[in-house]
Amino acid sequence: MGLFRGLLLLPLAPVRGVVWLSEQILEQASLEVNDPAVIYQQLAEVEEARAAGEITAGESAEAEEMLVARLMRMRGGHAGEAEA
């Protein structure tokens, strides 16, 4: 029975391979985006760019706010919400 099933599903093998590959890429991208070390590195890069005059203080503040919000969401906090 397994042989017949394998033969019938053989034409779908490339599709299953693409789906598996897509899932692996999505998982890796999610890990990289949500890695705290990456976020801290990006915060340092924003600070360096501001210090070098490549971006304005306002742009720096906006970028830092976004990065801190991502970090807070990852840790289960709520960015922008005052603690009691």
Side-chain angles (χ1 to χ4, degrees), residues 18-40:
V18 169
V19 169
W20 177 83
L21 183 60
S22 299
E23 290 170 351
Q24 298 303 310
I25 291 171
L26 179 62
E27 182 179 336
Q28 185 63 33
S30 178
L31 288 174
E32 289 181 16
V33 166
N34 295 324
D35 184 5
V38 171
I39 294 174
Y40 288 125

Side-chain angles (χ1 to χ4, degrees), residues 18-80:
V18 169
V19 169
W20 177 83
L21 183 60
S22 299
E23 290 170 351
Q24 298 303 310
I25 291 171
L26 179 62
E27 182 179 336
Q28 185 63 33
S30 178
L31 288 174
E32 289 181 16
V33 166
N34 295 324
D35 184 5
V38 171
I39 294 174
Y40 288 125
Q41 176 64 32
Q42 290 172 339
L43 282 168
E45 290 171 0
V46 167
E47 178 60 28
E48 290 173 9
R50 188 193 58 76
E54 296 173 0
I55 60 174
T56 66
E59 292 169 332
S60 171
E62 184 178 332
E64 288 174 355
E65 185 177 318
M66 286 180 7
L67 291 167
V68 169
R70 272 181 41 202
L71 191 59
M72 295 299 291
R73 278 193 306 269
M74 279 179 29
R75 294 186 175 183
H78 300 286

